[in-house]
Amino acid sequence: MEDYVTKKLQPIHHSNVNITGDFWRERQAVNRSATIPAVYGLCESTGRIDAFKLDWKPGKPKMPHHFWDSDVAKWIEAAAYSLANQPDAELETRVDGVIGLIAGSQQADGYLNSHYTVVEPEQRWSNLRDMHELYCAGHMIEAAVAYYEATGKRTLLDVMCRYADYIGAVFGPVPDQKHGYPGHEEIELALVKLYRVTGEQRYLGLSRFFVDERGRQPYYFDIEARERGEEPQDNRGQDYFQSQLPVREQTTAEGHSVRAMYLYAAMADLAAETEDEALLTACENLWQNVTERRMYVTGGIGSSWRGERFTTNYDLPNDVAYAETCAAIGLVLWAYRLLQFDGDGQYADVLELALYNGVISGVSLDGTGFFYANPLDVIPSRYESHPELFRIPVMWPRRQEWFQTSCCPTNIARTLASLGQYVASVAGNTAYVHLYVGGDISLEVAGEQVRLTQVTEYPWDGDVRITVQLDRPAEFALALRIPGWCPEATIAVNGQSLDLEPLMCRGYARIQREWSAGDVVELSLAMPVQRLESHPEVSSNCGKVALQRGPLVYCLEEVDNGPNLHDISLPEDAELSVRFADDILGGIMVIEGEGVRRRLADWEGKLYRPFPSHIETVPIQAIPYCYWANREPGEMLVWIDERQCKITG
Amino acid sequence: MEDYVTKKLQPIHHSNVNITGDFWRERQAVNRSATIPAVYGLCESTGRIDAFKLDWKPGKPKMPHHFWDSDVAKWIEAAAYSLANQPDAELETRVDGVIGLIAGSQQADGYLNSHYTVVEPEQRWSNLRDMHELYCAGHMIEAAVAYYEATGKRTLLDVMCRYADYIGAVFGPVPDQKHGYPGHEEIELALVKLYRVTGEQRYLGLSRFFVDERGRQPYYFDIEARERGEEPQDNRGQDYFQSQLPVREQTTAEGHSVRAMYLYAAMADLAAETEDEALLTACENLWQNVTERRMYVTGGIGSSWRGERFTTNYDLPNDVAYAETCAAIGLVLWAYRLLQFDGDGQYADVLELALYNGVISGVSLDGTGFFYANPLDVIPSRYESHPELFRIPVMWPRRQEWFQTSCCPTNIARTLASLGQYVASVAGNTAYVHLYVGGDISLEVAGEQVRLTQVTEYPWDGDVRITVQLDRPAEFALALRIPGWCPEATIAVNGQSLDLEPLMCRGYARIQREWSAGDVVELSLAMPVQRLESHPEVSSNCGKVALQRGPLVYCLEEVDNGPNLHDISLPEDAELSVRFADDILGGIMVIEGEGVRRRLADWEGKLYRPFPSHIETVPIQAIPYCYWANREPGEMLVWIDERQCKITG
């Protein structure tokens, strides 16, 4: 397969998908009406917007912090995606105003950073390891591309091209250039976007320079530390920054998980743009390590709050899980890019898993409360009595409207606003449908403009009806994803059942035929409640199961099940059924069943006693994990004790 | 019951018990031959001994640390107990030499502290909260009493009486005295010992002053902080020091667990000496809280390494369990004192539990490797790859010969050397036997000198044969403890079985008769393997059992069971048998049985998959927890998944 590395699929622009299914339509509406205004308000009130006025002076409050620019950039990006979906003159005016401030803050040489320009102007590029300069530049480039694509307005794009050109002069392989790379990756994938929208090869080259330079010895972060007069290593180690090895030699996901995801996403981009097989192979090795060893069942990654990072294989503690919202978003970004190479459904499976679970668990249903960390096992009473003993504040099980390091709220906002991009791709004469969200998908396949209208109650129900609209009959293939979680699927075209097995290719059912307007494909994905186990080396989950139905992982909440969730166990033969509860959380599918638990009354005055004690059956009700912490505070638990087993082998 | 608070039992001096049973005899021999010399060597090489020469100067290495004196004191105390058991001229000479240095370091006013005298002489008593001055004094008083009792030599006793008198002048209720109390309790119980050996009421009064003053508002630690020009509160909070409330009002065990134990032990002492019912009631409330809510199944207490402290009810995580060795020793000290009031076996049960498990797990079989923390669930690979991510160094699962704060090694040494004191007590005409250790117990009961000779293989076997020796027949009661763990016991005197039930009183079988020389009591304690559950609110143990046999809690080690111990589970009907394995660890009783676990091979490339997967039966072998970490390093686990249950109620 000599064209192995060739990216075959072309993603569609998010604005070509109009999502109408309730699940995501409501999330997008709240994102537009509540989240985007709220995070703007906080960027504004915390001084992040005014920072671009460059009027801060020592002694004044609200000193521009070195990552503030990135929050404003992600807000602009979110707003741009939202404007592309739905015009909003007031929002556009507001963005234009902010862009005016940003443009005004650009220095004569093209430099643009609200922290360094006013706080330590002599220190530019002196600490790539810790100071997020290139990271901020990357996010602002992404914002510029998004806003240009949404509105056609070039102001910010031109500003960021000038800045990128300046960065390209400072960094590069020539002896008098800096051979550095960012401590927090991000600009690498942003430069690929800038290349794609401008066609300027130099941006692609700069991205590749940053990626290739990373991990070379002697380590740049050590060199620059010595230049600052510091000891070369800080206590984080090179692996914290994914700079322990050249990226092509890396096989395990190490260090800060958001940084890792942004790097890996850029590696996938570069592999596609430059047909670099070694980069793709590295991506695949890292993918295998992440998804087979280091990923929560929710798609959360980066299990330790110390360093917000990956730790070791199978180290996935539930109670102290960090699983940062931004890291799950990063996993979506990476999976999305790998999916485009070959249309391999394993990437779409993880993309979907993360989106429906570990990403949107990070935002409340009203759009204004966020989680930075997304644990899978919470007992709030511990925090309440001794908050200092358990976890850092960012991990307290209370949604917060903002954080000191506030990457997650704006990241959620831009993700939800651009959700359409993940729904479909085109590869030559094949239209791929990755996600079933309800709505209209416009795409060009086999030279024809085609509209696919999805009607579905997904994720509550696995029936999907797709109506094909096109001007004249045309032969092409429709490749419909059969999710990895689905044990049984049926498919029919215009009422006629198809034999699925011969159609299957890498997780997609590929229906090749001459399509005419009004053709109807009916896909039915069986969506039983499944009990998942995890690998025997995941010590925290041994003897436990997680409930999953369709793409949704479920959890128990105290408000439904009483306290001491850990003592609930599921007998192996307990039947689990589903019910659409329209009175809960705006209407969700709950899983109901009978569990068992011990009687507290039997334990009065005892801490330990001989097994077995009496147990009693109790009704249990599980809700989707992504809905947790939207009612009264209490315990939450994903992995539930499974109390029986049969020796089968 | 107006004499409720009267202490009825009189403990016997440890030197009246000659332990000959293998289990403890070997521990005591190693303590004498290895531990006591080794900890002396480390006190010496680290500068703790020479510190008393008072020749340290700024800029020199080995600045005397503010808790160094306590380590030397505990070494002297251990040596004294050892000398009382077995004379050793060389050791005695060495102790005399150290005492000479200590005596020479006493100041003209009686003050004695190697840190303050040379490092910050102007700062005496300025920071009781943090600086361990009174704690060091307390340990040195205990050492002085022990050495005087062992040898009749008064040098250190006189020195410490002078120091105690000076402390009594500085602290007290009179307006120009300081109304303070120690940040780390210890001197309170030491002053009771000093009172008992000297008969001087003023030492008892000073102890009571410290105990009564604690927790009064305004808080002394805040007052002295302001006097130092500091903000009154540090981030630990008053409860860290058990000073949040007057001690009589405290109902939950809070804060640093070693400090708490030493305080509670002193409260029990004072309750006994002063017949203070409110103090005893406070002890009982705190006892209930500790033993019914906050104690590991090993007798370990203080679950969090942050603050080495108690946290909340039922918060007993196994992997990050702190359960400091010294805290388990403190629990023994407290239980021992409460046991003497009424001869209530619940105190002896916990004393025994802690001794056989959470205390001696803290020292290696060769006597020179120590654990500060005693977790119940260890996966060393986590530490090895990312030690910085998991726990503080003191919690690494490797035995160490010493620690920066090295309280545990010397505490173990003094505990093992004085073990005999816990074996028996006398109350009027009743001789209580609390522990079955094998050996000779000399005591006076009903005016007669009685020797009880225990022959037993305890804790490996529950048969105990006690031969009574006395000069002439005498009527008295022999109260033999029937341990709380024992489901069935039989007892016979001179071959004649007794009906146990009418003899039972608070956990002891009380045999009142006229005893003659050569009378033989045969006690048989059934010692089945028991599976223990813990209270449903102990989230970390739900669905799990711990194996216990007799007083010993068992654990799985990787060396016997392979890695991934967490994936082993015990079917409810799995039979568990015992075998004396003379080839393991010098000869121990192991528990054997059949567990089940999943096959790793089935999981190649999978992290999550639908339940159930195949499982297979595997032989398992458990060893006593107190023997863990004496062979090759690896995983260890106490709480094992229990995989089946029946609905019985």
Side-chain angles (χ1 to χ4, degrees):
Chain A
M1 297 210 295
E2 74 182 33
D3 69 342
Y4 173 67
V5 75
T6 305
K7 191 184 83 168
K8 300 187 191 72
L9 279 62
Q10 189 63 38
I12 61 173
H13 194 265
H14 72 93
S15 60
N16 289 324
V17 178
N18 179 31
I19 295 175
T20 58
D22 287 347
F23 187 92
W24 288 114
R25 183 179 50 75
E26 286 168 16
R27 289 278 189 171
Q28 285 198 318
V30 167
N31 191 50
R32 192 183 298 121
S33 65
T35 308
I36 292 174
V39 299
Y40 174 78
L42 282 151
C43 282
E44 219 276 324
S45 64
T46 56
R48 283 160 164 80
I49 305 289
D50 284 347
F52 290 105
K53 293 180 179 165
L54 306 183
D55 56 2
W56 181 83
K57 293 276 183 313
K60 284 178 70 177
K62 298 181 182 175
M63 181 187 85
H65 191 280
H66 65 267
F67 50 59
W68 274 9
D69 291 6
S70 68
D71 297 323
V72 177
K74 279 188 285 185
W75 172 77
I76 293 173
E77 192 185 347
Y81 297 145
S82 180
L83 290 170
N85 295 335
Q86 185 168 313
D88 178 336
E90 194 180 337
L91 177 60
E92 190 167 334
T93 303
R94 176 175 278 176
V95 177
D96 286 338
V98 174
I99 287 175
L101 285 179
I102 294 169
S105 79
Q106 188 164 36
Q107 302 300 292
D109 57 4
Y111 187 77
L112 196 162
N113 183 294
S114 70
H115 169 83
Y116 274 101
T117 304
V118 300
V119 179
E120 38 183 347
E122 306 304 312
Q123 303 304 319
R124 267 191 212 180
W125 314 126
S126 65
N127 187 349
L128 297 186
R129 188 185 68 190
D130 305 320
M131 290 301 283
H132 291 45
E133 244 166 325
L134 291 168
Y135 167 83
C136 287
H139 274 305
M140 199 60 82
I141 290 169
E142 286 203 87
V145 171
Y147 199 64
Y148 167 71
E149 290 186 333
T151 63
K153 295 179 180 173
R154 297 193 57 100
T155 305
L156 189 57
L157 186 67
D158 291 341
V159 162
M160 292 316 295
C161 285
R162 282 184 60 210
Y163 188 17
D165 291 339
Y166 165 70
I167 293 170
V170 173
F171 294 93
V174 175
D176 65 350
Q177 288 179 303
K178 290 181 184 291
H179 306 325
Y181 43 87
H184 195 316
E185 302 91 324
E186 156 60 29
I187 195 170
E188 299 90 336
L189 73 85
L191 286 166
V192 176
K193 284 189 174 182
L194 191 61
Y195 155 69
R196 287 177 182 158
V197 78
T198 63
E200 297 291 348
Q201 283 279 347
R202 62 182 182 277
Y203 301 133
L204 189 65
L206 183 56
S207 171
R208 185 160 179 165
F209 169 78
F210 284 137
V211 168
D212 284 349
E213 200 62 31
R214 180 170 293 273
R216 287 219 177 127
Q217 299 216 28
Y219 292 127
Y220 183 78
F221 297 151
D222 294 352
I223 295 169
E224 62 162 17
R226 284 196 199 89
E227 286 173 0
R228 293 194 305 272
E230 295 170 12
E231 283 302 302
Q233 272 288 8
D234 79 348
N235 60 9
R236 287 165 157 176
Q238 294 288 340
D239 63 346
Y240 175 83
F241 309 96
Q242 299 79 46
S243 57
Q244 75 280 15
L245 283 172
V247 300
R248 286 170 182 74
E249 296 170 30
Q250 297 186 20
T251 56
T252 57
E254 301 296 345
H256 188 272
S257 56
V258 178
R259 299 176 199 226
M261 290 300 111
Y262 289 179
L263 168 66
Y264 304 162
M267 286 162 63
D269 277 339
L270 289 169
E273 295 296 345
T274 65
E275 304 203 347
D276 183 331
E277 189 163 338
L279 269 184
L280 184 60
T281 300
C283 277
E284 288 169 335
N285 289 337
L286 291 165
W287 177 265
Q288 195 173 2
N289 181 249
V290 170
T291 60
E292 295 180 10
R293 305 274 192 283
R294 301 185 178 200
M295 182 182 76
Y296 286 97
V297 72
T298 54
I301 53 173
S303 55
S304 176
W305 64 265
R306 281 198 186 87
E308 313 184 313
R309 63 174 285 167
F310 290 105
T311 60
T312 58
N313 288 341
Y314 306 115
D315 177 52
L316 296 165
N318 294 307
D319 56 349
V320 294
Y322 199 67
E324 184 182 336
T325 303
C326 285
I329 290 172
L331 181 58
V332 167
L333 297 177
W334 185 31
Y336 167 66
R337 284 159 172 81
L338 291 174
L339 175 61
Q340 312 305 328
F341 280 89
D342 233 11
D344 187 338
Q346 69 165 312
Y347 301 113
D349 283 346
V350 171
L351 187 160
E352 182 183 62
L353 178 75
L355 263 187
Y356 276 92
N357 299 285
V359 170
I360 53 165
S361 59
V363 58
S364 63
L365 289 177
D366 71 3
T368 59
F370 303 93
F371 280 140
Y372 211 99
N374 294 276
L376 285 78
D377 172 2
V378 170
I379 303 181
S381 59
R382 295 190 180 164
Y383 306 84
E384 286 153 16
S385 51
H386 286 295
E388 79 285 8
L389 294 184
F390 291 100
R391 289 168 230 177
I392 54 173
V394 82
M395 295 192 70
W396 290 353
R398 278 182 239 122
R399 294 189 182 277
Q400 295 171 243
E401 65 171 12
W402 199 243
F403 304 90
Q404 201 169 5
T405 300
S406 209
C407 46
C408 299
T410 49
N411 221 350
I412 282 271
R414 69 176 185 145
T415 302
L416 287 173
S418 61
L419 208 63
Q421 68 186 315
Y422 303 118
V423 172
S425 303
V426 175
N429 286 353
T430 304
Y432 282 83
V433 179
H434 308 303
L435 298 181
Y436 305 110
V437 296
D440 295 314
I441 308 165
S442 300
L443 45 76
E444 189 184 316
V445 60
E448 298 293 325
Q449 289 298 326
V450 175
R451 198 170 78 170
L452 303 173
T453 302
Q454 274 188 13
V455 177
T456 182
E457 298 297 317
Y458 199 95
W460 308 129
D461 184 90
D463 289 343
V464 183
R465 180 187 171 94
I466 297 174
T467 306
V468 179
Q469 300 292 351
L470 73 179
D471 288 340
R472 52 186 182 192
E475 170 140 354
F476 61 90
L478 198 55
L480 302 180
R481 174 168 160 264
I482 309 298
W485 52 257
C486 178
E488 200 185 346
T490 64
I491 205 160
V493 175
N494 298 330
Q496 191 175 350
S497 287
L498 302 184
D499 185 6
L500 198 62
E501 203 268 324
L503 305 179
M504 289 302 297
C505 178
R506 288 189 289 274
Y508 286 77
R510 194 167 184 283
I511 312 169
Q512 171 97 30
R513 67 194 295 277
E514 188 183 79
W515 297 94
S516 303
D519 281 346
V520 172
V521 184
E522 286 163 300
L523 174 66
S524 185
L525 302 168
M527 210 176 253
V529 176
Q530 291 185 309
R531 299 176 187 210
L532 300 181
E533 289 180 65
S534 62
H535 189 283
E537 292 187 66
V538 182
S539 62
S540 30
N541 298 340
C542 287
K544 298 176 195 291
V545 294
L547 303 181
Q548 184 174 28
R549 180 172 179 272
L552 296 171
V553 174
Y554 277 67
C555 68
L556 302 178
E557 270 201 308
E558 181 174 340
V559 61
D560 298 316
N561 301 282
N564 309 321
L565 296 177
H566 280 266
D567 202 45
I568 293 175
S569 40
L570 280 176
E572 187 181 12
D573 55 3
E575 209 170 291
L576 296 168
S577 57
V578 293
R579 175 176 69 88
F580 192 80
D582 50 21
D583 57 332
I584 299 180
L585 293 161
I588 57 170
M589 199 73 85
V590 297
I591 297 176
E592 296 176 322
E594 219 168 47
V596 297
R597 64 191 306 170
R598 290 175 289 173
R599 286 192 294 238
L600 277 184
D602 294 345
W603 283 82
E604 194 64 45
K606 301 184 188 75
L607 186 52
Y608 303 105
R609 56 180 254 187
F611 173 89
S613 60
H614 285 207
I615 55 175
E616 58 188 1
T617 59
V618 286
I620 64 163
Q621 176 176 295
I623 65 162
Y625 174 74
C626 61
Y627 281 84
W628 94 274
N630 278 292
R631 293 175 292 170
E632 53 192 272
E635 295 180 25
M636 185 276 291
L637 187 67
V638 170
W639 288 95
I640 307 167
D641 268 8
E642 175 74 40
R643 292 279 284 210
Q644 288 179 282
C645 64
K646 286 175 189 145
I647 297 171
T648 55
Chain B
M1 298 207 295
E2 76 184 29
D3 69 341
Y4 173 65
V5 76
T6 305
K7 191 184 83 166
K8 299 189 191 71
L9 279 62
Q10 189 64 37
I12 61 172
H13 194 264
H14 71 92
S15 60
N16 290 323
V17 179
N18 178 31
I19 296 175
T20 59
D22 286 348
F23 188 92
W24 289 115
R25 184 180 49 74
E26 287 167 15
R27 290 278 187 170
Q28 285 198 319
V30 167
N31 190 51
R32 191 182 299 121
S33 65
T35 307
I36 291 174
V39 300
Y40 174 79
L42 283 152
C43 282
E44 218 277 325
S45 64
T46 57
R48 282 163 165 80
I49 305 287
D50 285 348
F52 290 106
K53 295 180 179 163
L54 305 184
D55 57 1
W56 180 85
K57 294 276 186 310
K60 286 178 69 176
K62 298 183 183 174
M63 183 187 84
H65 192 279
H66 65 269
F67 50 59
W68 275 8
D69 292 5
S70 68
D71 297 323
V72 177
K74 277 188 286 185
W75 172 77
I76 295 173
E77 191 184 347
Y81 297 145
S82 180
L83 290 170
N85 295 335
Q86 186 167 312
D88 178 334
E90 194 180 336
L91 177 60
E92 191 168 333
T93 303
R94 177 175 278 175
V95 178
D96 287 338
V98 174
I99 287 175
L101 285 179
I102 294 169
S105 79
Q106 188 164 35
Q107 302 298 291
D109 56 4
Y111 187 78
L112 196 162
N113 183 294
S114 71
H115 169 81
Y116 274 100
T117 303
V118 300
V119 180
E120 37 182 349
E122 307 303 314
Q123 303 303 319
R124 270 191 210 177
W125 313 127
S126 65
N127 187 351
L128 297 186
R129 188 186 66 190
D130 305 321
M131 291 301 282
H132 290 45
E133 242 166 329
L134 291 169
Y135 167 84
C136 287
H139 274 305
M140 200 59 83
I141 290 170
E142 285 203 87
V145 170
Y147 198 63
Y148 167 70
E149 290 186 333
T151 64
K153 295 179 181 173
R154 296 193 58 101
T155 306
L156 189 57
L157 186 67
D158 291 341
V159 162
M160 292 316 293
C161 284
R162 281 184 61 210
Y163 189 16
D165 291 338
Y166 166 69
I167 292 170
V170 173
F171 294 93
V174 175
D176 64 349
Q177 288 180 304
K178 289 182 186 289
H179 306 326
Y181 43 87
H184 195 315
E185 302 91 324
E186 157 59 30
I187 195 170
E188 299 89 337
L189 71 86
L191 286 166
V192 176
K193 285 189 174 183
L194 191 60
Y195 155 69
R196 287 177 181 157
V197 79
T198 62
E200 297 290 349
Q201 283 281 347
R202 63 181 182 276
Y203 300 134
L204 188 66
L206 182 57
S207 171
R208 184 158 179 168
F209 169 79
F210 285 137
V211 168
D212 284 348
E213 199 62 29
R214 181 170 292 273
R216 287 220 177 126
Q217 298 217 29
Y219 292 126
Y220 183 79
F221 296 151
D222 294 352
I223 293 168
E224 62 162 18
R226 284 198 199 88
E227 286 172 0
R228 293 194 304 271
E230 294 171 11
E231 283 302 302
Q233 271 287 9
D234 81 347
N235 60 10
R236 288 165 157 177
Q238 294 289 340
D239 63 345
Y240 174 83
F241 308 96
Q242 299 80 42
S243 58
Q244 75 280 15
L245 282 173
V247 299
R248 288 171 179 75
E249 295 169 33
Q250 297 186 20
T251 56
T252 58
E254 301 296 345
H256 188 273
S257 55
V258 179
R259 299 176 199 228
M261 289 301 110
Y262 290 179
L263 168 65
Y264 304 162
M267 287 163 62
D269 278 338
L270 290 170
E273 296 295 345
T274 64
E275 305 206 346
D276 183 331
E277 188 162 339
L279 269 183
L280 184 60
T281 300
C283 278
E284 288 169 335
N285 289 336
L286 292 164
W287 177 266
Q288 194 174 1
N289 181 249
V290 169
T291 59
E292 295 180 11
R293 305 272 192 281
R294 299 183 178 202
M295 181 182 77
Y296 287 97
V297 72
T298 55
I301 52 173
S303 55
S304 176
W305 64 265
R306 281 201 186 85
E308 312 185 309
R309 62 174 287 165
F310 290 106
T311 61
T312 58
N313 289 341
Y314 306 116
D315 177 52
L316 296 166
N318 294 308
D319 55 350
V320 294
Y322 199 66
E324 184 182 337
T325 304
C326 286
I329 290 172
L331 181 59
V332 167
L333 297 177
W334 184 32
Y336 167 64
R337 284 160 172 78
L338 291 175
L339 175 60
Q340 312 305 328
F341 279 90
D342 232 11
D344 188 337
Q346 69 165 312
Y347 300 113
D349 284 346
V350 170
L351 187 161
E352 182 184 61
L353 177 76
L355 264 186
Y356 276 92
N357 300 284
V359 171
I360 54 167
S361 60
V363 58
S364 64
L365 288 177
D366 70 4
T368 60
F370 301 94
F371 279 140
Y372 210 98
N374 294 277
L376 286 77
D377 172 2
V378 170
I379 302 180
S381 59
R382 293 188 182 166
Y383 305 85
E384 285 152 15
S385 51
H386 287 295
E388 79 285 8
L389 294 185
F390 291 100
R391 290 168 231 179
I392 55 172
V394 82
M395 295 193 70
W396 290 353
R398 278 183 240 123
R399 294 187 182 277
Q400 294 171 243
E401 65 171 13
W402 198 243
F403 304 91
Q404 202 169 4
T405 299
S406 210
C407 46
C408 299
T410 48
N411 222 349
I412 283 272
R414 68 174 184 146
T415 301
L416 287 173
S418 61
L419 206 63
Q421 66 185 317
Y422 304 119
V423 172
S425 304
V426 175
N429 286 353
T430 305
Y432 282 82
V433 180
H434 308 303
L435 298 181
Y436 305 110
V437 295
D440 295 313
I441 308 164
S442 301
L443 44 77
E444 186 184 316
V445 60
E448 299 293 324
Q449 291 297 326
V450 175
R451 199 170 76 170
L452 304 173
T453 302
Q454 276 188 13
V455 178
T456 180
E457 298 298 315
Y458 199 96
W460 308 128
D461 185 89
D463 289 343
V464 182
R465 181 187 170 93
I466 298 174
T467 307
V468 179
Q469 301 291 351
L470 73 178
D471 288 338
R472 53 183 181 193
E475 168 138 355
F476 61 90
L478 198 56
L480 302 180
R481 174 168 158 263
I482 309 299
W485 53 257
C486 178
E488 200 184 346
T490 63
I491 204 161
V493 175
N494 297 331
Q496 192 175 347
S497 285
L498 303 183
D499 185 5
L500 198 63
E501 203 267 321
L503 305 179
M504 289 301 298
C505 178
R506 289 190 289 274
Y508 286 77
R510 195 168 183 283
I511 312 169
Q512 170 97 29
R513 66 193 296 276
E514 189 183 77
W515 296 94
S516 304
D519 282 346
V520 172
V521 184
E522 287 164 300
L523 174 66
S524 186
L525 302 168
M527 212 177 249
V529 176
Q530 291 186 309
R531 300 176 186 209
L532 299 181
E533 291 180 62
S534 62
H535 189 283
E537 291 186 66
V538 182
S539 61
S540 29
N541 298 340
C542 288
K544 297 176 193 295
V545 294
L547 303 181
Q548 183 174 24
R549 182 174 178 272
L552 295 171
V553 174
Y554 276 68
C555 68
L556 302 178
E557 272 202 304
E558 181 175 340
V559 61
D560 299 314
N561 300 283
N564 309 321
L565 297 179
H566 279 267
D567 202 45
I568 293 176
S569 39
L570 280 177
E572 187 181 13
D573 55 3
E575 208 171 294
L576 296 168
S577 56
V578 294
R579 175 174 68 87
F580 192 79
D582 50 21
D583 57 332
I584 299 179
L585 292 161
I588 57 169
M589 198 71 86
V590 298
I591 296 175
E592 296 177 322
E594 217 167 47
V596 298
R597 64 191 308 169
R598 292 175 289 174
R599 288 192 293 238
L600 277 183
D602 293 345
W603 283 84
E604 196 62 48
K606 300 184 189 73
L607 186 51
Y608 304 104
R609 57 180 252 189
F611 173 91
S613 59
H614 285 210
I615 55 175
E616 57 189 3
T617 58
V618 286
I620 65 163
Q621 175 175 293
I623 65 161
Y625 175 74
C626 60
Y627 281 84
W628 94 273
N630 278 292
R631 293 176 293 171
E632 53 192 271
E635 295 180 26
M636 184 277 291
L637 187 66
V638 170
W639 287 95
I640 306 167
D641 268 5
E642 174 73 43
R643 292 281 284 210
Q644 289 180 282
C645 64
K646 285 176 189 144
I647 295 170
T648 54

